[in-house]
Amino acid sequence: MARLWTKFAGHGLCQLVVLLALSSSGTVQAQLGTFQPDDRSRGIQGVDPRLVQPRLLPPTPQFPQPNLPRWKMGIEGEDFDVGVRVTEVYRPTPASRAGIEVDDIIITVNGYQVGIVNGQLFDIGEEFQKRADSRGYVNLLIWNHRDRTLANRVVRLERSLIPNPPSRLSTLVGTVTYRERMALPPNSVVEVRLVDITDNPRFPRVLVDEVIENPRSVPVSFRLNFDGDEIDQRRIYAIDAQIWTQGRLQWSTATPVQVITRGNPNRSIDLMLTRSVVAPVFDGGFGR
């Protein structure tokens, strides 16, 4: 039996107690103490404090905004009073790439509790639209049904609407490989990104990326389509890549390969990855 105690500070001091009682069938029950719906984001244990600061602005209007991007993760779920229990995971989707499985429970999105809170439904799909940043990243608090632990996981959602076609489509093609004479492990995932490294090479701006699931062997071919009108000849662009296997980083580019501008190549790009010394758990996109 595991307990998660959470203290909330709102207009007054109140306390949320989430009791996770694990039965032999693996189901989860919850008992909620005094709780104010407006405070459901504050003080969740294990959530980055920057994501759970008090929100003092009035709620955003609940009217459709058709031109804004919409986000999806690729799951079906069941709402109840602890969170949202995953009932199906589609592939390939952000959920499958992040290692989310059936019977996992998503408790919060960016620190906001989802599911049924004090009799009120907070739909996880709506929370994705509200909480995702401009590139689709969200921080999820997930109860893992396999080892029965709580952990934060950053996931990059996919756009659910087809964006307007670029006015000038350009393409970068190439391959990803590594020096070791060994087979590519099964169930590997390769991610290749075109990034702008001008302002901050450590945390570049991503223009486009491609995720290749279960490639048979190296070299792995990739194809990045991007809008040529977004390229500024004064800026510096590069390609980087990573290979993940069963949720752990295995290979990555030691230094991004500069492309397109300043005399750098803009056609066939061959990336040679190096073995990762530390293998962090896969969080849905380049360790963020």
Side-chain angles (χ1 to χ4, degrees):
M1 178 177 296
R3 290 188 178 183
L4 170 64
W5 294 81
T6 310
K7 290 187 177 180
F8 278 43
H11 300 291
L13 181 64
C14 57
Q15 187 178 60
L16 168 67
V17 180
V18 178
L19 174 63
L20 300 179
L22 307 176
S23 68
S24 58
S25 62
T27 59
V28 179
Q29 298 176 337
Q31 295 178 352
L32 297 180
T34 305
F35 188 84
Q36 297 181 16
D38 290 343
D39 294 334
R40 63 195 172 97
S41 70
R42 303 174 193 168
I44 298 293
Q45 183 177 353
V47 174
D48 186 339
R50 293 171 297 177
L51 300 176
V52 296
Q53 295 301 313
R55 273 72 169 179
L56 301 179
L57 296 176
T60 55
Q62 300 299 313
F63 50 80
Q65 303 178 48
N67 295 325
L68 294 180
R70 304 286 287 176
W71 304 104
K72 64 179 181 180
M73 190 168 72
I75 64 169
E76 298 287 344
E78 175 187 3
D79 298 296
F80 68 119
D81 54 1
V82 165
V84 177
R85 184 178 68 87
V86 177
T87 58
E88 186 167 0
V89 178
Y90 298 101
R91 299 175 182 274
T93 61
S96 65
R97 290 192 289 269
I100 296 173
E101 296 185 356
V102 171
D103 288 332
D104 287 350
I105 298 174
I106 301 174
I107 299 174
T108 68
V109 176
N110 282 15
Y112 284 87
Q113 190 175 349
V114 292
I116 301 173
V117 180
N118 221 22
Q120 181 177 354
L121 174 64
F122 291 90
D123 181 77
I124 192 171
E126 294 181 2
E127 295 297 324
F128 287 154
Q129 315 315 319
K130 295 177 183 178
R131 313 302 171 196
D133 67 13
S134 60
R135 290 161 49 211
Y137 283 101
V138 290
N139 189 327
L140 306 179
L141 178 62
I142 300 176
W143 181 79
N144 186 318
H145 81 281
R146 297 172 296 282
D147 55 16
R148 300 183 178 184
T149 60
L150 284 169
N152 286 306
R153 187 169 301 176
V154 178
V155 178
R156 187 179 186 183
L157 307 176
E158 291 180 344
R159 296 180 187 271
S160 58
L161 291 182
I162 301 176
N164 294 328
S167 56
R168 185 164 63 89
L169 182 66
S170 300
T171 303
L172 283 170
V173 298
T175 60
V176 174
T177 189
Y178 45 76
R179 297 186 185 278
E180 288 79 6
R181 294 186 176 181
M182 58 180 294
L184 188 65
N187 300 318
S188 294
V189 176
V190 179
E191 184 172 8
V192 186
R193 311 186 305 176
L194 173 61
V195 296
D196 182 343
I197 63 174
T198 310
D199 301 321
N200 192 341
R202 187 177 178 185
F203 299 101
R205 180 174 68 92
V206 180
L207 276 72
V208 65
D209 64 355
E210 180 184 13
V211 175
I212 305 156
E213 292 195 339
N214 298 317
R216 294 184 177 180
S217 61
V218 293
V220 178
S221 299
F222 66 85
R223 184 182 185 91
L224 297 173
N225 297 320
F226 62 96
D227 187 351
D229 288 337
E230 291 187 3
I231 300 301
D232 185 339
Q233 294 299 320
R234 299 168 297 179
R235 302 187 69 80
I236 304 172
Y237 301 93
I239 291 181
D240 58 16
Q242 292 187 342
I243 298 178
W244 299 80
T245 301
Q246 295 181 347
R248 295 194 175 276
L249 179 63
Q250 301 293 334
W251 290 273
S252 63
T253 43
T255 303
V257 177
Q258 294 188 20
V259 293
I260 303 176
T261 59
R262 306 193 180 194
N264 290 304
N266 59 0
R267 294 187 181 274
S268 180
I269 314 297
D270 297 320
L271 300 177
M272 181 65 69
L273 277 55
T274 58
R275 190 74 171 180
S276 176
V277 177
V278 179
V281 175
F282 180 54
D283 63 7
F286 280 78
R288 286 186 297 274

